[in-house]
């Protein structure tokens, strides 16, 4: 760390040290990645770690529990399997940090428990990540690319069950029917005529979430907005890539995080109206915008707030490890990836060294105005002022009456 | 005059007003931040006598300490922010790799929004306004809740901030537990709390309901290890400056207790006696250079520590008290039992126990076994190996070798705790960062769309994508060759 010159024979540095014992609680949608990526950061920073993978992905959880002990140091890294009961028990203990990936609701519980021990937390939560599709009518190719990326980000990310999946899409009214037609064509291209038979789309994780998604479409007013897809098969937990246009804004579809392969398109008169819409809702984990309009880009960056902003693509920010990955407000606290992972599991200890040789005699009592003058000038690195004081040429302090 | 009750409704209104102000973008502008900081400088310049008087009322704080630690340090923070803010506010470019090619990336600092600063009674101006400086420099709207245990300072702060700063964006709410609870029920974008661990847990639990990130600046027992082969006079002076020279030991980074070798202890005690008399005179209760104890609660608490049976017999210097004026003289204890009250909780007062060990290296074990990680730890030595071991093994918010407390003044060092002594940090640019959201922004072009990303998924696509992600040129070439020959 830089020191001003008068500090003379002093030295300051930041020493990274491990926090100690870390608890990583991961989610079911990317069970390997979300367990191991934080683990890598915690190891790099020198900590001991307990991972509690999600019980909703049991095969992955037991693979982790069985494989990790064969490769890693079991005295310092353990996997503990189980559901909410196990999670609760783990939370009763004192950790040096808790790293949680999951829902906002559980995030609050984790932080409340952590507060009892003053344990710092990193919470990677979710929210409704909006995407803005500006009219790119100057280039057909670009439109196709944008649509492909949007479809990939929605249906290709674990069938929409990803925290950074595109939740809903903004399109300007005159453009919306073209967009829908393009999407239908691209979905067919990627998933064929019978998406259930293609091996390219995930299933819904379990019955509970399947029914939750089914419920989103129960309302007739919402069902009427479906323009593509909509078929569901409870036995195979399959939901077809589905597009809706302008479902009612108060519906659950538009107020809760969808986390599934249903894509509502909200049409606007002007694409800029999306800014107010986004700002009236909780801050999302990611904001996506497909546009060439530099003014719009700047407005989006400066007038909205989100964990991250990505222009002309989606999801891919996850792979950019020079960028911090995390949320803000209800989408999370803290960040990781790349060096940010190391930092998140590290305590940067401030270390200052002084020599026993130099000393400012005027630092010590009994105090008087003269000493104070000298010390103020020293403190402000005002060498010239210091000289003046010593020579008796500077006397700017008013003397106060001390009773 | 009947003071209106500040309840949850009032708190809600305050937050709403600030949020409405924030949404207009006013606090985000560079100009607003500059005017506020300049106004604060003016406020400190023009009101130094009043601030010194308020601190004298609340703490009998010597003018020297008030001027230096509460006013001068604050002015320096303002000046640093004014000088560097432009630079801090600039987006930081981030390198991009082959994985996202073609792309450009940056990290943009933006204000969190409406923040709450709750400060402590021992340095009421510094601990209130230093975080406020950080919050302003980062472009936030702010509520400051000063400590009710320093009432003169609290009401002076309320008056001055209303007079000098933009009260549509920066407000002071005075009060005690009911008012603080009302504030804590609201949704803030960040809370910075300075105080003790018990209340910190309450603050964090309240923050958890709204997923509000927090910075908690707490305390602990900051140990001082004193080796034998040192310039004893200088070391003694510096320990005194950090202990009794900082609000008479009522500071979070004050040396709490000393560990030294059995052989050296008497020399150390004698050195203290000498220096203490030189600094504070034969009767320290008459000296104008020592703060008093803040209130009778804390006076009683400290008396209890002094009067514990196995401790009171260990006094080797001082012990004088005056209950009427809430004064306790610098008091040193030698060899108190490790399980005594005075060694269990943070002293936060002018009592200094000295624990002795056979060899100075044993002091590290003592520190580790004494419970939570402290806010600061100090070592006086000329032994390079000992210095290295100290830095490597002692965990605390901050460490200082051969001095005490000075790391506070170094703006390039983050000031904060770890474990029980706190979370998060501030000072200098760290203050700006504490009140900012670092937003990741990735710009991609439309060129080079990897059709490999899209279904139908095939093994060939996977191999090529894996090679691309790994960034290895050789891997990519091999995958491409495999692709073409498949």
């Amino acid at each position: 760390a830089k020191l001003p010159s008068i500090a003379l024979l002093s030295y300051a540095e930041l020493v990274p040290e491990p926090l100690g014992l870390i608890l990583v609680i991961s989610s079911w949608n990317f069970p390997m990645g979300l367990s191991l990526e934080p683990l890598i950061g915690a190891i790099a920073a020198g900590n001991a770690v307990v991972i509690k993978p999600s019980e909703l992905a049991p095969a992955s959880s037991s693979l982790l529990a069985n494989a990790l002990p064969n490769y890693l140091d079991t005295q310092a890294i353990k996997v503990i399997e189980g559901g909410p009961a196990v999670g609760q028990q783990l939370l009763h203990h004192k950790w040096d940090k808790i790293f949680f990936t999951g829902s906002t609701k559980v995030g609050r519980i984790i932080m409340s428990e952590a507060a009892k021990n003053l344990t710092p937390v990193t919470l990677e939560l979710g929210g409704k990540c909006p995407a803005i599709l500006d009219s790119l009518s100057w280039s057909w190719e670009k439109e196709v690319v944008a649509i492909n990326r949007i479809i990939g980000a929605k249906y290709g990310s674990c069938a929409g069950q990803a925290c950074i999946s595109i939740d809903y899409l903004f399109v300007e009214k005159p453009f919306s029917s073209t967009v829908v037609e393009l999407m239908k064509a691209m979905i067919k291209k990627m998933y064929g005529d019978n998406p259930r038979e293609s091996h390219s789309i995930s299933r819904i994780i379990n019955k509970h979430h399947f029914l939750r998604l089914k419920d989103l479409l129960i309302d007739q007013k919402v069902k009427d907005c479906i323009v593509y897809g909509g078929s569901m098969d409870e036995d195979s937990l399959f939901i077809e890539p589905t597009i809706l246009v302008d479902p009612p804004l108060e519906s659950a579809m538009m107020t809760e995080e969808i986390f599934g392969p249903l894509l509502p398109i909200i049409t606007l008169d002007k694409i800029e109206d999306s800014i107010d819409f986004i700002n009236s809702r909780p801050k999302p984990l990611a904001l996506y915008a497909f546009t060439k309009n530099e003014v719009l880009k700047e407005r989006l960056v400066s007038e909205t707030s989100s964990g991250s902003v990505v222009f002309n693509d989606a999801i891919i920010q996850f792979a950019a490890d020079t960028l911090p990955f995390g949320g803000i407000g209800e989408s999370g606290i803290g960040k990781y990836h790349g060096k940010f992972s190391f930092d998140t599991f590290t305590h940067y200890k401030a270390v200052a060294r002084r020599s026993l040789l130099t000393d400012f005699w005027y630092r010590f009592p009994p105090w008087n105005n003269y000493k104070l003058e000298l010390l103020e000038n020293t403190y402000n690195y005002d060498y010239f002022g210091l000289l003046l004081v010593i020579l008796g040429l500077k006397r700017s302090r008013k003397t106060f009456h001390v009773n | 005059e009947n003071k209106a009750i500040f309840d949850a409704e009032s708190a809600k209104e305050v937050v709403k007003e600030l949020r409405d102000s924030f949404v207009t973008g006013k606090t985000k502008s560079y100009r607003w931040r500059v005017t506020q900081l300049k106004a604060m400088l003016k406020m400190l310049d023009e009101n130094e006598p009043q601030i010194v008087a308020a601190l004298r009322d609340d703490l009998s704080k010597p003018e020297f300490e008030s001027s230096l630690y509460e006013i001068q340090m604050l002015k320096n923070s303002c000046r640093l922010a004014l000088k560097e803010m432009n630079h801090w506010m600039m987006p930081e470019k981030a390198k991009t790799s082959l994985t996202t090619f073609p792309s450009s990336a940056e990290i943009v600092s933006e204000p969190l929004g409406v923040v709450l600063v709750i400060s402590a009674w021992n340095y009421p101006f510094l601990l209130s306004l230093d975080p406020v400086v950080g919050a302003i420099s980062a472009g936030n709207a702010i509520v400051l809740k000063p400590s009710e245990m320093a009432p003169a300072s609290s009401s002076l702060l309320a008056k001055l901030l209303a007079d000098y700063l933009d009260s549509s964006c920066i407000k002071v709410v005075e009060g005690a537990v009911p008012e603080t609870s009302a504030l804590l029920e609201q949704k803030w974008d960040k809370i910075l709390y300075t105080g003790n661990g018990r209340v910190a847990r309450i603050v964090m639990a309240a923050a958890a309901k709204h997923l509000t990130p927090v910075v908690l600046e707490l305390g602990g027992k900051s140990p001082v290890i004193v080796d034998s082969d040192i310039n004893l006079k200088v070391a003694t002076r510096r320990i005194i400056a950090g202990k009794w020279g900082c609000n008479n030991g009522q500071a979070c980074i004050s040396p709490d207790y000393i560990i030294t070798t059995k052989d050296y202890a008497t020399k150390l005690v004698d050195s203290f006696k000498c220096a203490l008399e030189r600094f504070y005179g034969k009767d320290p209760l008459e000296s104008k250079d020592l703060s008093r104890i803040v209130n009778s609660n804390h006076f009683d608490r400290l008396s209890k520590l002094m009067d514990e049976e196995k401790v009171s017999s260990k006094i080797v210097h001082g012990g004088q008290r005056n209950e009427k004026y809430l004064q306790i003289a610098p008091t040193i204890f030698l060899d108190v039992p490790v399980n005594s009250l005075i060694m269990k909780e943070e002293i936060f007062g002018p009592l200094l126990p000295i624990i002795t060990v056979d060899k100075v290296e044993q002091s590290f074990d003592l520190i580790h076994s004494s419970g939570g990680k402290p806010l600061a730890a100090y070592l006086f030595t000329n032994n390079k190996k000992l210095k290295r071991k100290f830095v490597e093994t002692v965990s605390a918010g901050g460490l200082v070798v051969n001095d005490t407390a000075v790391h506070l003044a170094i703006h390039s060092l983050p000031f904060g705790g770890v474990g029980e002594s706190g979370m998060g940090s501030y000072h200098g640019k760290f203050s700006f960062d504490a009140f900012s959201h670092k937003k990741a922004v990735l710009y991609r072009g439309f060129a080079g769309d990897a059709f490999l990303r899209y279904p139908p998924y095939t093994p060939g696509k996977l191999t090529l994508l894996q090679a691309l992600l790994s960034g290895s040129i050789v891997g990519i070439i091999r995958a491409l060759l495999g692709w073409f020959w498949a």
Side-chain angles (χ1 to χ4, degrees):
Chain A
K2 287 214 297 273
L3 285 173
S5 2
I6 204 164
L8 275 186
L9 296 177
S10 292
Y11 177 82
E13 60 181 358
L14 278 174
V15 175
E17 57 176 34
L19 288 168
L21 187 50
I22 315 286
L23 174 62
V24 174
I25 301 178
S26 65
S27 148
W28 50 259
N29 51 347
F30 293 86
M32 298 298 170
L34 298 176
S35 302
L36 299 178
E37 179 99 36
L39 175 64
I40 293 169
I43 292 175
N47 298 280
V49 188
V50 166
I51 304 177
K52 197 212 75 71
S54 173
E55 75 282 10
L56 297 184
S60 306
S61 174
S62 72
L63 176 57
L64 279 167
N66 292 328
L68 250 56
N70 293 334
Y71 292 85
L72 301 182
D73 180 356
T74 50
Q75 286 200 317
I77 301 168
K78 292 194 188 294
V79 179
I80 297 182
E81 297 190 78
V86 170
Q88 275 281 43
Q89 282 197 344
L90 286 170
L91 286 173
H92 284 151
H93 294 269
K94 183 173 160 65
W95 303 90
D96 295 301
K97 182 133 193 178
I98 298 177
F99 186 101
F100 170 77
T101 309
S103 72
T104 304
K105 181 171 78 91
V106 179
R108 287 193 173 87
I109 298 172
I110 304 266
M111 189 169 169
S112 303
E113 287 297 323
K116 296 183 182 150
N117 288 315
L118 291 176
T119 299
V121 297
T122 295
L123 304 173
E124 297 275 331
L125 312 175
K128 292 178 79 61
C129 297
I132 298 170
L133 180 55
D134 197 8
S135 58
L136 299 160
S137 43
W138 55 85
S139 166
W140 167 263
E141 284 162 12
K142 292 196 170 53
E143 268 174 22
V144 168
V145 170
I147 302 257
N148 274 338
R149 290 178 178 179
I150 292 171
I151 293 177
K154 180 66 168 188
Y155 310 111
S157 58
C158 202
Q161 301 166 104
C163 50
I164 40 168
S165 213
I166 293 180
D167 190 278
Y168 62 101
L169 181 66
F170 288 110
V171 179
E172 266 179 6
K173 283 190 164 59
F175 189 42
S176 62
S177 42
T178 324
V179 168
V180 172
E181 290 314 306
L182 265 173
M183 282 190 163
K184 290 183 185 175
M186 293 300 137
I187 291 177
K188 278 220 172 61
K189 193 153 162 236
M190 288 187 201
Y191 300 107
D193 286 314
N194 196 347
R196 194 189 332 170
E197 303 304 318
S198 84
H199 294 286
S200 301
I201 190 162
S202 293
R203 294 295 182 266
I204 306 307
I205 180 78
N206 60 20
K207 199 144 265 176
H208 166 78
H209 280 279
F210 181 90
L211 292 172
R212 177 185 65 79
L213 288 163
K214 192 162 170 212
D215 277 351
L216 291 181
L217 296 174
I218 266 187
D219 188 347
Q220 191 60 39
K221 287 207 289 267
V222 175
K223 219 190 271 195
D224 288 340
C225 299
I226 298 179
V227 296
Y228 183 83
S231 72
M232 304 188 173
D233 178 22
E234 191 161 337
D235 291 326
S236 56
L237 293 177
F238 171 77
I239 295 181
E240 175 181 16
T242 302
I243 307 175
L244 305 96
V245 177
D246 283 327
L249 296 179
E250 338 73 59
S251 62
M253 171 85 71
M254 283 311 296
T255 52
E256 296 171 9
E257 187 175 5
I258 296 172
F259 229 68
L262 316 174
L263 179 66
I265 297 180
I266 307 292
T267 60
L268 305 166
D269 291 318
K270 281 192 313 113
I271 200 72
E272 287 82 2
D273 294 341
S274 55
I275 295 181
D276 286 335
F277 190 104
I278 292 168
N279 284 338
S280 64
R281 275 128 188 275
K283 300 178 185 182
L285 188 49
L287 169 65
Y288 302 111
F290 294 83
T291 179
K292 283 226 131 201
N293 181 341
E294 295 300 321
V295 173
L296 180 63
K297 282 187 193 175
E298 223 202 281
R299 279 196 68 191
L300 284 169
V301 172
S302 62
E303 292 178 36
T304 67
S305 185
S306 55
S308 35
V309 181
V310 185
F311 289 108
N312 300 329
D313 207 335
I315 310 275
I316 198 154
Q317 76 272 27
F318 198 86
D321 54 21
T322 51
L323 285 176
F325 184 78
I328 178 80
E330 286 178 37
S331 53
I333 296 179
K335 51 199 183 244
Y336 73 129
H337 283 187
K339 180 166 188 282
F340 302 103
S341 289
F342 176 88
D343 293 342
T344 222
F345 295 110
T346 291
H347 166 51
Y348 280 96
K349 187 164 67 179
V351 180
R353 287 180 229 261
R354 289 209 63 205
S355 151
L356 288 166
L357 293 177
T358 56
D359 217 4
F360 303 122
W361 59 273
Y362 38 88
R363 195 177 150 191
F364 308 107
W367 288 317
N368 53 46
N369 272 338
Y370 182 57
K371 281 190 179 180
L372 183 53
E373 281 253 46
L374 285 172
L375 204 47
E376 274 177 1
N377 282 289
T378 310
Y379 199 70
N380 293 327
Y381 318 119
D382 184 357
Y383 310 113
F384 189 57
L386 195 56
L387 189 60
L388 290 178
V389 174
I390 293 173
L391 294 175
L393 293 173
K394 187 178 187 191
R395 188 113 312 169
S396 59
R397 285 196 60 76
K398 316 157 205 71
T399 27
F400 303 121
H401 298 289
V402 179
N403 55 359
Chain B
E1 188 203 309
N2 240 344
K3 231 185 172 176
I5 301 175
F6 188 88
D7 58 1
E9 266 311 306
S10 331
K12 209 167 167 176
E13 274 172 37
V14 166
V15 175
K16 181 165 184 319
E17 189 188 333
L18 288 176
R19 226 168 257 298
D20 290 342
S21 297
F22 179 75
V23 155
T24 65
K26 193 199 240 194
T27 59
K28 270 184 125 174
S29 81
Y30 178 69
R31 166 157 292 141
W32 181 87
R33 306 183 204 192
V34 166
T35 20
Q36 296 311 295
L37 292 175
K38 285 193 169 153
M40 191 177 294
L41 269 176
K42 191 156 171 255
M43 177 183 96
L44 294 168
D45 270 332
E46 292 176 357
N47 292 279
E48 193 163 335
Q50 290 88 320
I51 295 176
V52 168
L55 289 167
R56 200 181 314 122
D57 277 347
D58 286 333
L59 298 157
S60 296
K61 191 173 279 207
E63 185 191 328
F64 188 91
E65 285 188 43
S66 303
S67 291
L68 200 62
Y69 301 133
E70 304 248 25
I71 297 173
Q72 204 56 241
M73 273 188 79
L74 216 37
K75 281 183 171 175
N76 272 16
S77 281
C78 287
R79 287 192 200 112
L80 182 72
L82 281 166
K83 181 162 168 256
E84 300 287 326
M85 203 159 55
N86 230 334
H87 180 66
W88 294 341
M89 283 169 69
M90 276 177 17
E92 198 190 308
K93 282 246 163 283
K95 279 210 321 240
T96 54
S97 66
L98 208 59
T99 318
T100 53
F101 184 82
S103 62
S104 70
E106 58 184 10
I107 301 172
V108 172
S109 293
E110 55 179 37
L112 288 167
V114 181
V115 304
L116 174 63
V117 174
I118 302 175
S119 69
W121 53 259
N122 55 342
Y123 288 84
F125 285 86
L126 182 65
L127 299 177
S128 298
L129 298 179
D130 213 351
V132 169
V133 167
I136 291 174
S137 67
N140 298 279
I142 306 155
V143 168
L144 167 65
K145 215 276 322 151
S147 173
E148 70 281 11
M149 291 185 7
S153 305
S154 174
S155 68
L156 184 57
L157 275 165
K159 176 175 172 304
L160 289 179
L161 259 62
D163 287 341
Y164 285 81
L165 301 184
D166 178 356
S167 47
S168 71
C169 303
I170 302 174
K171 291 192 188 297
V172 177
V173 172
E174 293 191 77
V177 175
E179 290 79 5
T180 312
S181 306
L183 287 170
L184 285 173
E185 274 179 46
Q186 311 309 315
K187 178 173 158 70
W188 304 93
D189 296 302
K190 188 132 192 180
I191 301 176
L192 189 147
Y193 167 76
T194 308
N196 65 60
R198 188 185 60 85
V199 177
R201 282 167 168 82
I202 298 172
V203 172
M204 189 171 168
K209 300 207 173 89
H210 297 287
L211 290 172
T212 298
V214 298
V215 171
L216 305 173
E217 296 274 327
L218 312 176
K221 293 183 77 60
S222 302
V224 187
I225 304 175
V226 181
D227 195 9
S228 37
D229 177 27
I230 53 168
N231 182 332
L232 186 53
K233 271 174 91 174
V234 173
T236 312
R237 288 205 297 251
R238 290 179 179 179
I239 296 174
I240 296 178
K243 177 78 170 184
W244 297 285
C246 283
N247 210 20
N248 208 9
Q250 299 166 102
C252 49
I253 34 118
S254 246
D256 189 277
Y257 65 102
I258 293 187
I259 310 175
T260 190
T261 49
K262 289 188 163 49
D263 299 328
Y264 202 60
T266 23
K267 263 183 101 177
L268 185 58
V269 172
D270 288 336
S271 178
F272 269 122
K273 288 187 180 187
C274 222
L276 281 170
E277 189 174 316
R278 215 171 50 246
F279 291 171
Y280 302 115
K282 276 205 156 39
D283 185 7
L285 295 185
E286 296 295 312
S287 165
K288 298 264 176 289
D289 294 330
L290 284 171
S291 293
R292 66 155 203 264
I293 306 306
V294 65
N295 61 24
S296 45
N297 272 350
H298 280 277
F299 185 91
D300 292 338
R301 180 184 63 81
L302 289 164
S303 296
K304 226 172 96 184
L305 296 183
M306 290 167 82
D307 296 336
E308 196 184 359
E309 218 182 287
K310 42 198 172 165
V311 165
S312 53
S313 50
K314 307 282 186 196
I315 295 184
V316 292
H317 182 85
Q320 305 98 304
R321 299 170 242 201
N322 182 324
E323 190 162 352
K324 179 158 173 235
Y325 295 120
L326 294 175
Q327 290 173 306
I328 300 181
T331 305
I332 304 180
F333 305 77
L334 183 56
D335 278 326
V336 297
V338 178
N339 56 7
S340 54
L341 275 176
I342 202 174
M343 282 306 295
K344 285 240 203 73
E345 39 175 87
E346 185 177 2
I347 295 170
F348 224 70
L351 315 175
L352 182 66
I354 301 180
I355 310 283
T356 56
V357 290
D358 291 316
K359 290 216 314 254
V360 75
E361 287 79 4
Q362 292 169 323
S363 37
F364 299 132
D365 297 323
L366 217 97
I367 296 176
H368 288 143
S369 62
S370 73
K373 301 176 184 182
L375 188 51
Y378 306 107
L379 169 66
F380 285 87
T381 186
N382 275 318
N383 180 335
K384 277 211 174 83
K385 265 179 83 178
L386 202 65
K387 287 182 193 178
R388 203 176 324 128
K389 182 138 194 249
F390 180 64
V391 173
E392 280 170 14
T393 57
V394 175
S395 183
L399 302 180
V400 187
V401 175
N402 291 336
D403 209 331
T404 60
V406 283
H407 59 303
L408 252 182
I410 301 177
H411 278 145
S412 51
L413 285 177
F415 183 72
V418 62
E420 281 291 328
S421 52
M423 59 178 80
S425 58
Y426 72 123
H427 281 189
K429 181 171 188 280
F430 301 99
S431 290
F432 176 86
D433 292 341
F435 291 104
S436 294
H437 168 48
K438 304 287 177 176
K439 186 161 73 177
V441 183
L442 181 62
Y443 298 88
R444 287 214 69 201
F446 289 98
D449 198 30
F451 65 97
L452 307 163
R453 281 160 74 174
Y454 306 117
Y457 299 137
T458 65
K461 280 185 178 180
L462 181 57
T463 319
L464 194 42
L465 256 179
Q466 278 173 333
L468 271 169
L469 258 175
S470 76
S472 140
I473 304 288
V474 175
I476 295 171
I477 294 177
R478 280 163 92 187
L480 276 170
L481 291 174
W483 178 272
F484 286 123
W485 277 338

